[in-house]
Amino acid sequence: MSAPAGTEPGAFPRIDSHQHFTREYLPSLLFPILRRNRFDGSVAVASLPSVEETRWLLSLAAEHSFIRAVVGWADLADPRLGDTLDEFQRHPKFRGVCYRFAGELPQGLGELERRGLTLDVTAGFSLEMVERFPSLPLAIDHLTAGQGTGASSPAHYATVFAKISGLITAAPTRWKAAEFQPAVRAALEAFGPRRVMYGSDWPSYLPEGTWKEALAAFTQAIGPQSMETREHLLGGTARRFYRLEAGDAA
């Protein structure tokens, strides 16, 4: 399955930076949705704390060129973490690890930093992560779900990015853009468009919600923006953070 060819000449490539796959919701369902909406590809993120699921996602990415990168799961507290990462890094589309944090930070964060991998923080972000591992590229997933900006904002750190994803997941049929606007616009102001990226969180809200509604919630929440800003939010930031080059779609 090839990458969507829906972008017009001169249009910027678009990337959905956060979506999942399940045995029910497979790439064959997402691909035509991306194509209809002129998105060039996506970043598949593990939804389960499972090495097996990550292996499966990597196999899907090898089969489908529109899956531009995979963010998998690994046990960052496992002494054998290096072996797991060695296996994952044999796949050219593996980019990093997603993780839910609780309690003390696992030493495996240093291994991610050493290897130049990325970290998606699903829950439990703390500034200690940035202070102890200053070279680790880090994305706070679902930022508006309670991991926002404040007096000790993570936006002060250049290695921290904001992923605006999952806006309609909790209420796929009852969402109102006005409810998201304050948090979304605060994140955009704090981080700037070069460190904010859009993710659909597909298929978490199915069957009640749709991928297109998730995009509509985001675009309505950010309001009118320049083409340059939209380029960053809808693709440019994800391409930089996950190092997505044209060759990755081959």
Side-chain angles (χ1 to χ4, degrees):
M1 188 176 291
S2 61
T7 49
E8 299 173 355
F12 57 88
R14 292 182 172 185
I15 301 293
D16 179 346
S17 75
H18 195 99
Q19 53 83 199
H20 311 288
F21 291 115
T22 70
R23 302 295 174 173
E24 180 180 5
Y25 297 107
L26 294 166
S28 58
L29 295 178
L30 180 60
F31 175 71
I33 295 172
L34 294 176
R35 191 170 196 171
R36 284 196 303 270
N37 291 277
R38 297 181 177 179
F39 269 66
D40 296 78
S42 70
V43 176
V45 180
S47 59
L48 299 172
S50 164
V51 169
E52 287 302 321
E53 190 204 28
T54 299
R55 290 172 177 149
W56 180 62
L57 292 176
L58 290 167
S59 70
L60 292 179
E63 297 172 11
H64 303 277
S65 63
F66 80 89
I67 304 173
R68 303 290 293 277
V70 170
V71 178
W73 180 88
D75 185 353
L76 297 180
D78 187 346
R80 298 166 297 179
L81 172 65
D83 294 337
T84 302
L85 295 178
D86 284 344
E87 175 191 341
F88 290 168
Q89 287 191 279
R90 287 196 284 269
H91 296 261
K93 292 184 179 180
F94 178 70
R95 288 296 182 271
V97 169
C98 59
Y99 204 79
R100 300 178 70 89
F101 290 87
E104 295 185 5
L105 296 183
Q107 289 301 312
L109 289 174
E111 187 68 12
L112 297 183
E113 182 181 47
R114 184 183 71 80
R115 291 172 181 252
L117 296 171
T118 63
L119 173 67
D120 270 50
V121 179
T122 307
F125 171 82
S126 70
L127 289 178
E128 183 185 0
M129 298 174 187
V130 190
E131 294 164 351
R132 286 181 54 188
F133 307 98
S135 300
L136 177 63
L138 184 155
I140 304 176
D141 293 353
H142 314 313
L143 185 74
T144 58
Q147 301 161 308
T149 58
S152 56
S153 171
H156 298 311
Y157 298 85
T159 55
V160 181
F161 288 64
K163 188 179 282 190
I164 308 297
S165 51
L167 289 179
I168 71 168
T169 299
T173 62
R174 302 185 305 276
W175 63 271
K176 295 181 180 179
E179 298 173 355
F180 310 133
Q181 284 176 350
V184 169
R185 294 184 183 182
L188 184 55
E189 181 177 358
F191 285 87
R194 293 185 63 87
R195 286 194 289 138
V196 175
M197 58 186 124
Y198 165 72
S200 70
D201 202 31
W202 185 92
S204 301
Y205 35 74
L206 297 180
E208 292 85 2
T210 67
W211 186 96
K212 194 163 187 176
E213 286 179 294
L215 177 62
F218 175 77
T219 56
Q220 291 175 32
I222 63 172
Q225 300 291 338
S226 69
M227 181 60 71
E228 180 181 2
T229 294
R230 290 174 61 85
E231 178 176 354
H232 292 309
L233 301 178
L234 295 175
T237 300
R239 296 200 312 277
R240 288 189 301 275
F241 183 78
Y242 292 115
R243 307 183 314 281
L244 307 180
E245 303 298 335
D248 293 333

